[in-house]
Amino acid sequence: MHDKPAPSRTVAPETGHQAEPAAPRKKIFVKTYGCQMNVYDSARMVDVMAPTGYAEVDTPEEADIVILNTCHIREKAAEKVYSELGRLRDLKKEKSGRGESLVIGVAGCVAQAEGEEMRRRAPAVDLVLGPQTYHRLPEYIARLANGGPGIVETEFPAEDKFESLPVPDRRKTLARGATAFLTIQEGCDKFCTFCVVPYTRGSEFSRPVARILDEAKALADAGVREITLLGQNVNAYHGEDVKGGAATLGALIRDLAAVDGIEHIRYTTSHPRDMDEELIAAHAEVPELMPYLHLPVQSGSDRILEAMNRRHDAESYVRLVERIRAARPDIAMSSDFIVGFPGETDRDFEATLDLVRTVGYAQAYSFKYSPRPGTPAATEEDQLPEEVKSERLQRLQALLGEQQVAFNEACAGRIMPVLFDRRGKGERQLVGRSPWLQSVHVEDAPENLFGNIVEVEIEEGYRNSLRGRLRAAEAVVA
């Protein structure tokens, strides 16, 4: 008879043998900056580390590894990253004082652009990797754990990184909700003079159809109802099909619409030059393809469009929108605009306002031009004063805001299918997305409608959202 209880141990149920206590899982935190593709990439970094024993946590203080997944599109992006790295350096010192370790990594487009300079300016950084190499993250972490030196990996590898990524974890996908991003294409060959993407993401690459369908099926099995197809130039998609040929985005969308469980399909971001007739036809013929299209134009001035190397003019863009609307009359258009591009005159800016009035947008993103190091436009001498850019941006955003409010207010009284994908502030409030990508708030919504597509009657439209009510609790349409 023992004088005191024996230490408790886990008993393996299949063999009855005493099992060793499970090793504590290590933890990873990924902070995401920028675009939807970075959101996708961050999730896949977590997925690729999971088989090596890492679990995702919500704060850097909890983590053994912190990755900043960066974006180079916005102004002063690198400065924001270095500021965050200063805070992480202090956290690393704190952990070291407690006998703990912290690996700091920087991924994404700022990492790609800065490379060795980032390690020089921020010595606390252990790992710098570009967006084409994050599939090697477990290998790099293992090298660091074995006492290896800091790593900078910003080459464009020959292998397809997507072939090395695991199938999305079903439990994590369930936790993320009923919507998901799915990258189908990366890189860009257009070389707009203001854009760093060709330099940070490389040339255009499209994933094979079979791999995309496998990932879509895994997402659907985990309860995802809506997928958004991602690419820097997504409608230039040309992945290998089952016959060894090159599939178009229109053909891929038809294949994805046949995946059981996938009810809504979206895609972003598009280039006007790659909007072919097959894709336009898909908007008319595939009900799963949502009536919302983000089609950046950047400017309404042909002179500025030429300086941007957009390779389309304002008239061809407007004619393209007319063809798309003829195919899908209820489609909502969204776009990107840059004001204050080098050399932009008052007349050029007025041409942009004229194009906005002609097209009419449900939503748009507008920005002041800011030079990106390494891009041709950054070296132009006729840069505009900040006050001129600010004044023009204010005028453009006022016009775009009027159009957005008008579009949303026109939705009042309509009945539309809404995918409830997040919980609201109230106890019984659910928030969903309309076919036109508006947020829809509904009170007194039963919890079991979360993740379902439900008929909602819109009562009122606001600048950034809609308010609606359920027609009937049983009105689940999919």
Side-chain angles (χ1 to χ4, degrees), residues 358-371:
T358 298
V359 173
Y361 291 98
Q363 188 181 15
Y365 303 92
S366 51
F367 312 95
K368 292 187 293 185
Y369 170 76
S370 58

Side-chain angles (χ1 to χ4, degrees), residues 85-206:
L85 287 174
R87 288 189 284 272
L88 291 176
R89 175 201 59 210
D90 294 341
L91 177 61
K92 189 172 189 173
K93 287 181 181 178
E94 289 177 22
K95 282 180 169 279
S96 178
R98 299 194 300 264
E100 302 171 6
S101 63
L102 177 65
V103 172
I104 300 175
V106 183
C109 292
V110 172
Q112 184 72 36
E114 298 283 320
E116 291 284 357
E117 174 69 8
M118 180 161 284
R119 285 265 300 153
R120 187 188 68 78
R121 285 185 58 182
V125 172
D126 303 288
L127 173 63
V128 179
L129 66 160
Q132 303 304 328
T133 58
Y134 70 76
H135 61 296
R136 296 177 176 174
L137 187 56
E139 171 194 340
Y140 299 146
I141 295 300
R143 282 162 55 183
L144 291 170
N146 289 327
I151 297 168
V152 176
E153 181 56 88
T154 55
E155 296 297 319
F156 291 104
E159 78 269 19
D160 172 8
K161 73 179 181 187
F162 295 101
E163 291 289 336
S164 304
L165 297 177
V167 173
D169 185 281
R170 185 176 190 276
R171 289 168 297 175
K172 292 175 185 170
T173 303
L174 281 168
R176 291 168 188 156
T179 64
F181 294 126
L182 202 173
T183 293
I184 66 168
Q185 183 269 346
E186 275 198 288
C188 185
D189 296 340
K190 295 296 187 288
F191 287 92
C192 297
T193 59
F194 56 83
C195 185
V196 297
V197 165
Y199 311 102
T200 57
R201 289 274 181 173
S203 59
E204 291 176 358
F205 166 79
S206 297

